[in-house]
Amino acid sequence: MNDTDVLIVGAGPTGLTLACTLARAGAAVRIIDKSPVPHRTSRSKGANQRTREVFADLGLGAAFDAAGVRRMVLRKYRGGVPLHDADVNEGAGSTPEVPYPTGLGIPQWRTEEILREGLAAYGVYVETGCAMAELTQDAERATVTLADGRRITAAYVVGCDGGHSAVRRALGVAFPGETREDQAGWVADVEADGLDRDYWHQWFDEDGVLLLWPIPGTRAWQLQSSVERDADGRVLPPSLDGFQRLFDRHARVPGVRLANPTWLSLYRVNSRMAERFRAGRAFLAGDAAHVHPVAGGLGMNTGVQDAFNLGWKLALVVRGEAGEALLDSYDEERRPVAAWTLQFTGERLRAAMEGTRTPGVGTEVVITDDGSTLGVAYPWSSLARGGPKAGERAPDGRARDGRRLHEAFAGPHFTLLGFGGGSGPALAEAGERCPGLLRTCAAGDAARAAYGIGAGEDALVLVRPDHHIALSTRADGRGAAEVVDLLRHLGRRAVRSA
């Protein structure tokens, strides 16, 4: 017998999201991390619109809304002179289809704290100080040996352990791509009394860059900057003295002293993707599977969305409600998204480097609608089984009983939407035959256009646990049978015989 169904290596946002998704679905899960204590560093600046939907589905939306900020005003300088303020979320409003019109500014340590609290509600806690030393697997299980010699066996292992992933190395999975040695930067968490915390201050000069973002809920700032080099052109390590020299050179604000650096890091622009995201009983997610430029803010968000895609599939398989072949759809769906992300963030980095040469232009040039990842879809997937919107994200909207559709979707189940008064019998038939996998919901007519359903048409739309459309079909006995057949392929034990 295995120690757990799923062992997650790495307790950052990707691993914690996966753990929450699995625990909620009733799967046995353990999550380990090599760090002795959780970190308190800002790292990722927050959640985009699609990630906010994921967190809301997990029941954590209110906690994130309370901890984060939606207002983000960029103040751009040249030669120390403020030139332009840009409120990047000005005028953004929710619609019936999109409940979160903006991202949410929140430091990564707080994101992880909220996810750990959510996980603890299921009785699952991060096992800290557990470094993976070895990973082996056979036809029955995967075994992780820790640095202290302990062993943990699991049906599946997921590496969510970052760009230097021990899981990826143990699997021998290549990580091709490039590291740009000529594109380096410093990042740190510092204090800077005397700056207005209503702004993300951005100094772009011809001889360097300095950005200071006020970390919500703290008195600290996240500093990003160009680097200093020695006489031979080698990059110097980040230091408080170096930060102060850059601040004095670019900001030119007398009396402001940077202090108390709690995190200092040197980064180089990397663009890499694992050659595969599955190797037998092991999977890679988040930075363990792909790394890319920070422009566009998709690093943490792509990892969270990897986890949300993989989590429901693993849960069905370990509960015996789906065949193991379902797990192949994780690589099938998410690797193309990762490839797009590498291309997109590379383009956004080039846009930033070009655009900020113009005085008064800042990082707003990297922002596009694509950065919300609401448009990420899997039309090529083997799980996209037909209909005008198959593979796309299922929009929010209203059910006939007044509920939000995304509230109806929340949980580890499929949701069958019925459009039109004539869809009731087909909904009832499918729900009766698939009680363990399926919930049904009569959709309001206002949601028709978003789902590609014509006026007056009776139709069924099957939505996956991760809010992507699997199938749209007719609302009759034949359509109900089509839904049942799809679910029977995924989970034979949950479907009653006709």
Side-chain angles (χ1 to χ4, degrees), residues 283-479:
F283 299 83
L284 301 172
D287 285 357
H290 42 75
V291 294
H292 48 78
V294 297
L298 294 187
M300 183 197 78
N301 291 290
T302 305
V304 165
Q305 292 159 39
D306 284 347
F308 202 53
N309 180 287
L310 179 58
W312 69 269
K313 299 170 183 178
L314 278 170
L316 287 181
V317 171
V318 300
R319 295 200 319 250
E321 295 176 340
E324 193 178 53
L326 175 64
L327 301 177
D328 290 332
S329 68
Y330 170 65
D331 182 282
E332 176 190 18
E333 293 180 344
R334 293 304 295 178
R335 242 173 41 95
V337 171
W340 169 82
T341 303
L342 265 64
Q343 179 182 3
F344 173 76
T345 55
E347 291 172 351
R348 293 297 86 207
L349 177 61
R350 289 188 289 274
M353 294 174 68
E354 179 67 27
T356 54
R357 294 174 184 172
T358 301
V361 174
T363 57
E364 73 274 11
V365 298
V366 309
I367 299 173
T368 71
D369 289 343
D370 286 341
S372 72
T373 59
L374 295 173
V376 167
Y378 314 120
W380 60 82
S381 172
S382 58
L383 301 182
R385 297 290 290 273
K389 302 282 188 177
E392 295 185 14
R393 163 191 167 271
D396 202 2
R398 291 286 175 182
R400 270 186 251 166
D401 62 9
R403 284 181 299 162
R404 287 182 44 228
L405 294 181
H406 280 196
E407 292 174 354
F409 299 162
H413 56 270
F414 283 77
T415 304
L416 185 62
L417 299 178
F419 288 88
S423 65
L427 280 179
E429 178 183 351
E432 170 66 20
R433 296 178 66 187
C434 306
L437 285 176
L438 187 66
R439 294 184 185 176
T440 61
C441 176
D445 282 342
R448 286 179 174 274
Y451 281 84
I453 308 300
E457 179 184 359
D458 291 340
L460 302 177
V461 177
L462 182 64
V463 179
R464 300 165 14 167
D466 60 353
H467 302 188
H468 283 266
I469 295 170
L471 171 70
S472 298
T473 188
R474 51 203 292 175
D476 57 14
R478 180 177 172 183

Side-chain angles (χ1 to χ4, degrees), residues 9 16 20 26 48-49 91 94 105 130 144 285 385 394 396 417 432 466 484:
V9 181
L16 289 166
C20 288
N48 70 2
Q49 291 91 319
S94 61
C130 296
V144 165
R385 297 290 290 273
D396 202 2
L417 299 178
E432 170 66 20
D466 60 353
V484 170

Side-chain angles (χ1 to χ4, degrees), residues 84-118:
H84 182 245
D85 293 346
D87 185 343
V88 297
N89 294 326
E90 185 177 13
S94 61
T95 68
E97 298 79 20
V98 179
Y100 301 109
T102 71
L104 191 69
I106 183 172
Q108 185 170 318
W109 67 263
R110 185 67 178 116
T111 292
E112 294 176 11
E113 190 172 63
I114 293 171
L115 288 167
R116 285 195 302 272
E117 292 166 356

Side-chain angles (χ1 to χ4, degrees), residues 96-176:
E97 298 79 20
V98 179
Y100 301 109
T102 71
L104 191 69
I106 183 172
Q108 185 170 318
W109 67 263
R110 185 67 178 116
T111 292
E112 294 176 11
E113 190 172 63
I114 293 171
L115 288 167
R116 285 195 302 272
E117 292 166 356
L119 185 60
Y122 299 105
V124 181
Y125 301 89
V126 176
E127 300 173 43
T128 56
C130 296
M132 192 192 91
E134 185 179 32
L135 167 62
T136 60
Q137 56 178 313
D138 56 31
E140 300 297 325
R141 62 184 56 83
T143 301
V144 165
T145 302
L146 303 180
D148 63 7
R150 287 180 295 154
R151 292 184 176 182
I152 304 172
T153 60
Y156 299 97
V157 170
V158 186
C160 304
D161 50 341
H164 299 288
S165 172
V167 173
R168 190 185 63 242
R169 292 197 304 271
L171 295 172
V173 174
F175 201 42

Side-chain angles (χ1 to χ4, degrees), residues 134-324:
E134 185 179 32
L135 167 62
T136 60
Q137 56 178 313
D138 56 31
E140 300 297 325
R141 62 184 56 83
T143 301
V144 165
T145 302
L146 303 180
D148 63 7
R150 287 180 295 154
R151 292 184 176 182
I152 304 172
T153 60
Y156 299 97
V157 170
V158 186
C160 304
D161 50 341
H164 299 288
S165 172
V167 173
R168 190 185 63 242
R169 292 197 304 271
L171 295 172
V173 174
F175 201 42
E178 66 172 353
T179 299
R180 294 294 302 270
E181 297 294 338
D182 60 322
Q183 294 181 355
W186 287 343
V187 61
D189 291 344
V190 300
E191 293 178 3
D193 292 342
L195 288 179
D196 190 336
R197 294 187 63 85
D198 285 336
Y199 300 95
W200 182 3
H201 300 275
Q202 303 188 349
W203 293 272
F204 287 97
D205 293 323
E206 293 182 1
D207 61 344
V209 174
L210 177 69
L211 296 86
L212 284 166
W213 173 66
I215 302 173
T218 75
R219 59 178 294 180
W221 299 75
Q222 185 189 83
L223 178 148
Q224 293 171 280
S225 73
S226 47
V227 298
E228 292 186 326
R229 298 178 183 269
D230 64 18
D232 296 321
R234 290 186 294 265
V235 175
L236 294 172
S239 68
L240 180 60
D241 288 343
F243 300 153
Q244 188 67 52
R245 284 191 294 270
L246 289 174
F247 183 85
D248 293 342
R249 181 189 310 155
H250 298 295
R252 306 177 191 182
V253 181
V256 173
R257 304 297 299 175
L258 306 185
N260 194 23
T262 55
W263 173 53
L264 303 88
S265 183
L266 167 68
Y267 70 89
R268 289 180 171 83
V269 172
N270 279 283
S271 185
R272 297 181 179 275
M273 185 174 74
E275 64 180 5
R276 61 188 189 278
F277 289 4
R278 181 185 186 185
R281 293 185 168 274
F283 299 83
L284 301 172
D287 285 357
H290 42 75
V291 294
H292 48 78
V294 297
L298 294 187
M300 183 197 78
N301 291 290
T302 305
V304 165
Q305 292 159 39
D306 284 347
F308 202 53
N309 180 287
L310 179 58
W312 69 269
K313 299 170 183 178
L314 278 170
L316 287 181
V317 171
V318 300
R319 295 200 319 250
E321 295 176 340
E324 193 178 53

